[in-house]
Amino acid sequence: MGNCLSSATPFQEHSLSSHADNEPSHEQLAGETHFSVDEVYALEELFKGLSNSIHRDGVIHKDEFAFALFKSQNHSNIFADKVFELFDTKKNDVIGFDEFVRALSVFHPNAPAPEKADFAFRIYDLDNTGHIERGEIQRFLVALLKDNPAIDLDDAHLNVLIDQTFEEADLAGDGHISPEEWQILVKKHPKMINYMTLPVLKELTKKYPSFVFNENRK
């Protein structure tokens, strides 16, 4: 397929388990997501490590997020920045544990394809207009090429890929891709959003077995 988007890919001292009245329990988070209760407890072990990597304040900052992805807190990446923005549903420039669990849920192998496609759409909608514009795809691909110098693609070929994408996806011919058009495109080409599934999320309890010692676990 000549579709350009198919190549775009990725403590506080008190216990995080001591939930305040307004914080959801592990059981509530499991009920709202595609994780089991034990997987939520295992995710807490991962979250403790991430939120303790630089600032040690029980929440994940953007540089800690970048460090987790690239092993460099100074690495700037348009994809990572947008994903961080989507994880940060409270819009306070940090990711709390409940935000972390809820956002990661869409990457679970059990999450349905339309849910994954919707999240992927919001990644590409860089300006939050509710549509994917040509300029957004161009910015995204330019950033992708910058981070992957092994991909040899000049401006002419880049524009051809963008043209092909819009020719197939922009069914209304109005110059942008709507959420409905995006769902149709992804349904035709499901491999476009393969990066939205992280098989490792089904192995959480094996990778973080220390969750069984959590004193709050029932």
Side-chain angles (χ1 to χ4, degrees):
M1 176 182 70
N3 193 299
C4 64
L5 296 183
S6 62
S7 61
T9 63
F11 307 128
Q12 290 172 316
E13 293 181 359
H14 61 77
S15 169
L16 287 171
S17 299
S18 301
H19 291 278
D21 291 339
N22 62 342
E23 294 180 328
S25 68
H26 293 68
E27 290 74 20
Q28 287 175 310
L29 288 172
E32 297 172 10
T33 65
H34 300 289
F35 295 111
S36 68
V37 174
D38 279 350
E39 286 173 336
V40 174
Y41 275 102
L43 276 175
E44 185 175 12
E45 299 304 304
L46 170 60
F47 183 84
K48 287 177 182 177
L50 294 176
S51 61
N52 192 41
S53 60
I54 299 174
H55 297 286
R56 307 191 180 199
D57 58 0
V59 290
I60 299 174
H61 295 252
K62 185 173 286 189
D63 53 356
E64 290 172 318
F65 195 73
F67 184 78
L69 292 175
F70 308 110
K71 301 306 177 187
S72 170
Q73 65 191 75
N74 297 316
H75 188 99
S76 179
N77 176 283
I78 195 171
F79 178 82
D81 287 348
K82 185 63 178 183
V83 172
F84 183 92
E85 175 190 318
L86 295 176
F87 272 51
D88 176 24
T89 57
K90 297 175 185 175
K91 305 305 176 189
N92 57 357
D93 298 321
V94 294
I95 299 170
F97 180 58
D98 58 328
E99 294 173 303
F100 183 69
V101 175
R102 290 188 177 107
L104 266 184
S105 177
V106 73
F107 293 91
H108 196 286
N110 292 346
E115 184 179 333
K116 293 178 181 292
D118 177 68
F119 194 92
F121 178 90
R122 293 164 64 202
I123 293 175
Y124 292 116
D125 181 15
L126 296 174
D127 297 326
N128 300 316
T129 61
H131 296 88
I132 298 176
E133 310 287 347
R134 182 185 179 91
E136 289 171 320
I137 295 180
Q138 186 171 29
R139 285 157 55 196
F140 197 94
L141 290 178
V142 167
L144 177 69
L145 293 173
K146 181 179 178 181
D147 282 344
N148 296 272
I151 302 177
D152 186 15
L153 195 66
D154 59 27
D155 290 345
H157 285 92
L158 184 68
N159 287 325
V160 168
L161 287 176
I162 296 173
D163 289 341
Q164 290 174 341
T165 297
F166 269 82
E167 182 178 350
E168 180 172 13
D170 181 16
L171 301 178
D174 53 10
H176 55 240
I177 301 172
S178 70
E180 296 76 19
E181 290 170 331
W182 173 257
Q183 289 282 353
I184 292 170
L185 182 67
V186 171
K187 190 172 183 178
K188 289 171 60 179
H189 307 290
K191 291 184 179 180
M192 286 177 58
I193 58 169
N194 276 355
Y195 64 91
M196 288 296 305
T197 298
L198 302 177
V200 69
L201 293 180
K202 294 197 76 169
E203 306 294 326
L204 288 169
T205 56
K206 294 179 181 178
K207 287 189 169 292
Y208 301 96
S210 59
F211 80 92
V212 300
F213 301 112
N214 191 311
E215 61 183 15
N216 293 288
R217 180 172 172 263
K218 300 175 182 179

